[in-house]
Amino acid sequence: MKMVAPWTRFYSNSCCLCCHVRTGTILLGVWYLILNAVVLLILLSSLADPDQYHFSSSELGGDFEFMDDANMCIAIAISVLMILICAMATYGAYKQHAAWIIPFFCYQIFDFALNTLVAVTILVYPNSIQEYIRQLPPDFPYKDDIMSVNPTCLVLIILLFISIILAFKGYLISCVWNCYRYISGRNSSDVLVYVTSNDTTVLLPPYDDATVNSATKEPPPPYVSA
């Protein structure tokens, strides 16, 4: 006789490297946290010393600056917000608070949608890649080599690269979503337990209800998941 919780029937509790979805979500949150912390340090250092990251118009091949103070402040605010979201996801997965994972999951969906739009744009307007490469500075690394590639092959290579990124991002989204469902199921007080045998399936009430309703009788044994 085997007891199966309903939330384990429709998704997997394991992710890459055979880790549990909680462990995978924690590692993913820490990784994003480190990346955004590094970006924030670079932005703060560039704000403190603008000359270190200043590019002239001749270096950029246009009549614009690399990043002004307003854009720098917006980038810093976004980095701080991302650090907060990643910290919430890491803490929520560690302490099993499902609601804390939602902002990070929404960010993943938004990022996936943006990358999908980029892929659709390249597919619909393939000549936009060549136009973008032509607008790069003359001393941009490998610019001439990229321009010499056949436009059709270049589009296929970029689409293949974006497809791999989208597949990987989709897998990470599924890991975070499975972690959210796992924690929600664990924290739910109304979870029902099914006891299955070879030819019958019996729905048992929650353990607390069973002990309350049978106060005059001997309490049932604890439910143990197989």
Side-chain angles (χ1 to χ4, degrees):
M1 188 168 55
K2 184 172 73 172
M3 289 178 289
V4 181
W7 65 83
T8 62
R9 295 185 174 187
F10 306 105
Y11 62 93
S12 174
N13 289 339
S14 62
C15 58
C16 59
L17 301 179
C18 298
C19 296
H20 194 274
V21 288
R22 279 187 61 212
T23 305
T25 302
I26 292 172
L27 293 176
L28 183 62
V30 171
W31 172 248
Y32 273 86
L33 189 63
I34 294 174
L35 288 182
N36 287 279
V38 171
V39 172
L40 180 61
L41 290 177
I42 294 175
L43 292 174
L44 291 176
S45 62
S46 63
L47 188 64
D49 188 9
D51 295 334
Q52 183 178 358
Y53 297 91
H54 178 74
F55 295 91
S56 63
S57 299
S58 59
E59 292 174 330
L60 293 175
D63 298 328
F64 55 92
E65 294 184 356
F66 179 67
M67 183 172 288
D68 54 14
D69 292 339
N71 292 332
M72 187 71 69
C73 293
I74 294 174
I76 291 175
I78 293 175
S79 297
V80 173
L81 179 62
M82 285 302 307
I83 290 175
L84 179 61
I85 291 175
C86 297
M88 289 176 59
T90 305
Y91 178 81
Y94 180 73
K95 293 294 185 179
Q96 299 192 31
H97 298 311
W100 291 60
I101 305 177
I102 292 298
F104 185 73
F105 178 75
C106 294
Y107 157 73
Q108 286 185 299
I109 295 295
F110 179 75
D111 181 60
F112 185 86
L114 287 182
N115 284 272
T116 303
L117 289 177
V118 171
V120 172
T121 302
I122 294 175
L123 187 62
V124 176
Y125 303 103
N127 294 330
S128 60
I129 299 178
Q130 296 290 334
E131 294 296 331
Y132 176 77
I133 296 175
R134 291 191 187 96
Q135 295 176 4
L136 294 175
D139 56 347
F140 187 83
Y142 305 107
K143 178 181 178 180
D144 295 334
D145 296 334
I146 297 175
M147 289 293 298
S148 62
V149 177
N150 184 276
T152 304
C153 294
L154 182 61
V155 170
L156 292 177
I157 292 173
I158 294 178
L159 286 177
L160 178 62
F161 181 72
I162 295 178
S163 299
I164 295 174
I165 293 177
L166 288 176
F168 182 69
K169 288 180 179 293
Y171 179 76
L172 295 180
I173 290 174
S174 67
C175 292
V176 175
W177 175 245
N178 288 338
C179 178
Y180 170 79
R181 294 188 62 184
Y182 172 80
I183 295 176
S184 298
R186 289 282 299 234
N187 294 338
S188 177
S189 59
D190 298 328
V191 173
L192 300 178
V193 179
Y194 291 86
V195 180
T196 61
S197 60
N198 293 333
D199 54 354
T200 60
T201 300
V202 181
L203 177 61
L204 297 181
Y207 183 76
D208 295 337
D209 295 344
T211 55
V212 171
N213 295 333
S214 59
T216 59
K217 302 179 182 179
E218 183 180 356
Y223 298 159
V224 179
S225 300

Short mmCIF file of all heavy atoms in Angstrom, two decimals, residues 60-92:
data_model
loop_
_atom_site.label_atom_id
_atom_site.label_comp_id
_atom_site.label_asym_id
_atom_site.label_seq_id
_atom_site.Cartn_x
_atom_site.Cartn_y
_atom_site.Cartn_z
N LEU A 60 32.15 56.14 -30.23
CA LEU A 60 30.89 55.43 -30.43
C LEU A 60 30.39 55.53 -31.86
O LEU A 60 29.43 54.85 -32.22
CB LEU A 60 29.81 55.97 -29.47
CG LEU A 60 30.07 55.71 -27.98
CD1 LEU A 60 29.02 56.41 -27.14
CD2 LEU A 60 30.06 54.22 -27.69
N GLY A 61 30.99 56.40 -32.65
CA GLY A 61 30.55 56.52 -34.03
C GLY A 61 29.21 57.20 -34.16
O GLY A 61 28.48 56.96 -35.11
N GLY A 62 28.85 58.05 -33.22
CA GLY A 62 27.56 58.75 -33.27
C GLY A 62 27.62 60.01 -32.44
O GLY A 62 28.64 60.36 -31.85
N ASP A 63 26.48 60.71 -32.40
CA ASP A 63 26.40 61.97 -31.68
C ASP A 63 25.64 61.78 -30.37
O ASP A 63 24.71 62.50 -30.04
CB ASP A 63 25.69 63.03 -32.53
CG ASP A 63 26.46 63.32 -33.81
OD1 ASP A 63 27.70 63.22 -33.77
OD2 ASP A 63 25.81 63.64 -34.83
N PHE A 64 26.02 60.78 -29.58
CA PHE A 64 25.35 60.53 -28.31
C PHE A 64 26.37 60.00 -27.32
O PHE A 64 27.44 59.52 -27.68
CB PHE A 64 24.20 59.53 -28.46
CG PHE A 64 24.63 58.23 -29.08
CD1 PHE A 64 25.04 57.16 -28.29
CD2 PHE A 64 24.61 58.08 -30.47
CE1 PHE A 64 25.42 55.97 -28.88
CE2 PHE A 64 25.00 56.88 -31.04
CZ PHE A 64 25.41 55.84 -30.25
N GLU A 65 26.03 60.11 -26.04
CA GLU A 65 26.90 59.63 -24.99
C GLU A 65 26.50 58.21 -24.61
O GLU A 65 25.38 57.77 -24.86
CB GLU A 65 26.81 60.55 -23.76
CG GLU A 65 27.35 61.95 -24.01
CD GLU A 65 27.31 62.78 -22.74
OE1 GLU A 65 26.80 62.28 -21.73
OE2 GLU A 65 27.79 63.92 -22.77
N PHE A 66 27.46 57.52 -24.01
CA PHE A 66 27.22 56.12 -23.65
C PHE A 66 26.10 56.01 -22.61
O PHE A 66 25.19 55.21 -22.75
CB PHE A 66 28.52 55.51 -23.11
CG PHE A 66 28.37 54.10 -22.68
CD1 PHE A 66 28.11 53.10 -23.60
CD2 PHE A 66 28.47 53.76 -21.34
CE1 PHE A 66 27.97 51.78 -23.21
CE2 PHE A 66 28.33 52.44 -20.95
CZ PHE A 66 28.09 51.47 -21.87
N MET A 67 26.15 56.82 -21.55
CA MET A 67 25.12 56.79 -20.52
C MET A 67 25.20 58.07 -19.72
O MET A 67 26.25 58.42 -19.18
CB MET A 67 25.31 55.57 -19.60
CG MET A 67 24.22 55.43 -18.55
SD MET A 67 24.34 53.88 -17.62
CE MET A 67 23.80 52.72 -18.85
N ASP A 68 24.10 58.80 -19.66
CA ASP A 68 24.09 60.02 -18.88
C ASP A 68 23.68 59.71 -17.45
O ASP A 68 23.42 58.57 -17.07
CB ASP A 68 23.15 61.05 -19.52
CG ASP A 68 21.75 60.49 -19.73
OD1 ASP A 68 21.44 59.42 -19.16
OD2 ASP A 68 20.98 61.10 -20.49
N ASP A 69 23.60 60.78 -16.62
CA ASP A 69 23.31 60.58 -15.20
C ASP A 69 21.90 60.04 -14.97
O ASP A 69 21.68 59.21 -14.07
CB ASP A 69 23.48 61.92 -14.45
CG ASP A 69 24.93 62.36 -14.42
OD1 ASP A 69 25.82 61.48 -14.60
OD2 ASP A 69 25.20 63.56 -14.23
N ALA A 70 20.94 60.48 -15.78
CA ALA A 70 19.57 60.02 -15.61
C ALA A 70 19.46 58.52 -15.88
O ALA A 70 18.87 57.77 -15.09
CB ALA A 70 18.63 60.80 -16.52
N ASN A 71 20.04 58.08 -16.99
CA ASN A 71 20.01 56.65 -17.30
C ASN A 71 20.80 55.84 -16.26
O ASN A 71 20.43 54.70 -15.95
CB ASN A 71 20.58 56.40 -18.69
CG ASN A 71 19.70 56.95 -19.79
OD1 ASN A 71 18.49 57.06 -19.62
ND2 ASN A 71 20.30 57.33 -20.90
N MET A 72 21.86 56.43 -15.74
CA MET A 72 22.64 55.74 -14.72
C MET A 72 21.81 55.52 -13.46
O MET A 72 21.83 54.44 -12.86
CB MET A 72 23.89 56.54 -14.39
CG MET A 72 24.86 55.83 -13.47
SD MET A 72 25.68 54.45 -14.28
CE MET A 72 26.72 55.34 -15.43
N CYS A 73 21.06 56.53 -13.06
CA CYS A 73 20.22 56.40 -11.87
C CYS A 73 19.12 55.37 -12.08
O CYS A 73 18.79 54.60 -11.17
CB CYS A 73 19.63 57.76 -11.50
SG CYS A 73 20.83 58.98 -10.95
N ILE A 74 18.55 55.35 -13.28
CA ILE A 74 17.52 54.35 -13.58
C ILE A 74 18.11 52.94 -13.53
O ILE A 74 17.50 52.01 -12.98
CB ILE A 74 16.89 54.63 -14.96
CG1 ILE A 74 16.12 55.95 -14.93
CG2 ILE A 74 15.96 53.49 -15.36
CD1 ILE A 74 15.58 56.38 -16.27
N ALA A 75 19.31 52.77 -14.09
CA ALA A 75 19.95 51.45 -14.07
C ALA A 75 20.27 51.02 -12.64
O ALA A 75 20.11 49.84 -12.29
CB ALA A 75 21.22 51.49 -14.91
N ILE A 76 20.70 51.96 -11.80
CA ILE A 76 20.98 51.63 -10.40
C ILE A 76 19.70 51.22 -9.68
O ILE A 76 19.68 50.25 -8.90
CB ILE A 76 21.65 52.82 -9.70
CG1 ILE A 76 23.07 53.03 -10.25
CG2 ILE A 76 21.71 52.61 -8.18
CD1 ILE A 76 23.77 54.26 -9.71
N ALA A 77 18.60 51.94 -9.93
CA ALA A 77 17.33 51.60 -9.30
C ALA A 77 16.86 50.21 -9.73
O ALA A 77 16.36 49.42 -8.91
CB ALA A 77 16.28 52.65 -9.64
N ILE A 78 17.03 49.89 -11.02
CA ILE A 78 16.63 48.56 -11.50
C ILE A 78 17.49 47.48 -10.86
O ILE A 78 16.99 46.40 -10.48
CB ILE A 78 16.74 48.51 -13.04
CG1 ILE A 78 15.69 49.44 -13.66
CG2 ILE A 78 16.54 47.09 -13.55
CD1 ILE A 78 15.79 49.54 -15.17
N SER A 79 18.79 47.74 -10.72
CA SER A 79 19.68 46.76 -10.09
C SER A 79 19.31 46.52 -8.63
O SER A 79 19.31 45.38 -8.16
CB SER A 79 21.14 47.23 -10.19
OG SER A 79 21.54 47.32 -11.54
N VAL A 80 18.99 47.59 -7.92
CA VAL A 80 18.57 47.45 -6.52
C VAL A 80 17.27 46.65 -6.43
O VAL A 80 17.11 45.77 -5.56
CB VAL A 80 18.42 48.83 -5.86
CG1 VAL A 80 17.81 48.70 -4.46
CG2 VAL A 80 19.76 49.53 -5.77
N LEU A 81 16.33 46.94 -7.32
CA LEU A 81 15.08 46.20 -7.34
C LEU A 81 15.31 44.72 -7.64
O LEU A 81 14.69 43.84 -7.02
CB LEU A 81 14.13 46.81 -8.37
CG LEU A 81 12.75 46.14 -8.52
CD1 LEU A 81 11.98 46.22 -7.22
CD2 LEU A 81 11.97 46.80 -9.65
N MET A 82 16.19 44.42 -8.59
CA MET A 82 16.48 43.04 -8.92
C MET A 82 17.15 42.32 -7.74
O MET A 82 16.87 41.13 -7.49
CB MET A 82 17.38 42.97 -10.15
CG MET A 82 16.67 43.25 -11.45
SD MET A 82 15.30 42.12 -11.74
CE MET A 82 16.11 40.54 -11.56
N ILE A 83 18.03 43.00 -7.03
CA ILE A 83 18.65 42.39 -5.85
C ILE A 83 17.59 42.06 -4.81
O ILE A 83 17.61 40.99 -4.18
CB ILE A 83 19.73 43.34 -5.27
CG1 ILE A 83 20.94 43.40 -6.22
CG2 ILE A 83 20.18 42.88 -3.89
CD1 ILE A 83 21.99 44.39 -5.79
N LEU A 84 16.64 42.97 -4.62
CA LEU A 84 15.56 42.72 -3.67
C LEU A 84 14.70 41.53 -4.09
O LEU A 84 14.35 40.66 -3.27
CB LEU A 84 14.70 43.98 -3.54
CG LEU A 84 13.49 43.90 -2.59
CD1 LEU A 84 13.94 43.60 -1.16
CD2 LEU A 84 12.68 45.19 -2.63
N ILE A 85 14.36 41.45 -5.38
CA ILE A 85 13.54 40.35 -5.88
C ILE A 85 14.27 39.01 -5.73
O ILE A 85 13.68 38.01 -5.30
CB ILE A 85 13.16 40.60 -7.35
CG1 ILE A 85 12.18 41.79 -7.44
CG2 ILE A 85 12.53 39.36 -7.98
CD1 ILE A 85 11.84 42.18 -8.86
N CYS A 86 15.56 38.98 -6.08
CA CYS A 86 16.33 37.75 -5.96
C CYS A 86 16.49 37.33 -4.50
O CYS A 86 16.43 36.13 -4.18
CB CYS A 86 17.70 37.92 -6.61
SG CYS A 86 17.65 38.24 -8.38
N ALA A 87 16.70 38.31 -3.63
CA ALA A 87 16.81 37.98 -2.20
C ALA A 87 15.50 37.43 -1.66
O ALA A 87 15.48 36.49 -0.85
CB ALA A 87 17.23 39.23 -1.42
N MET A 88 14.37 37.99 -2.11
CA MET A 88 13.07 37.48 -1.69
C MET A 88 12.86 36.05 -2.15
O MET A 88 12.37 35.20 -1.39
CB MET A 88 11.96 38.38 -2.23
CG MET A 88 11.86 39.74 -1.58
SD MET A 88 10.61 40.78 -2.36
CE MET A 88 9.14 39.79 -2.13
N ALA A 89 13.24 35.75 -3.40
CA ALA A 89 13.08 34.39 -3.92
C ALA A 89 13.95 33.40 -3.15
O ALA A 89 13.50 32.29 -2.82
CB ALA A 89 13.41 34.35 -5.40
N THR A 90 15.19 33.79 -2.87
CA THR A 90 16.08 32.91 -2.12
C THR A 90 15.55 32.66 -0.72
O THR A 90 15.53 31.51 -0.24
CB THR A 90 17.49 33.52 -2.06
OG1 THR A 90 17.95 33.79 -3.39
CG2 THR A 90 18.46 32.58 -1.38
N TYR A 91 15.12 33.71 -0.05
CA TYR A 91 14.58 33.57 1.30
C TYR A 91 13.28 32.77 1.30
O TYR A 91 13.06 31.92 2.17
CB TYR A 91 14.34 34.96 1.90
CG TYR A 91 13.75 34.92 3.30
CD1 TYR A 91 14.56 34.71 4.41
CD2 TYR A 91 12.38 35.10 3.49
CE1 TYR A 91 14.02 34.68 5.68
CE2 TYR A 91 11.83 35.07 4.76
CZ TYR A 91 12.66 34.85 5.85
OH TYR A 91 12.11 34.81 7.12
N GLY A 92 12.42 33.02 0.31
CA GLY A 92 11.15 32.30 0.23
C GLY A 92 11.35 30.82 0.00
O GLY A 92 10.64 29.99 0.58
#
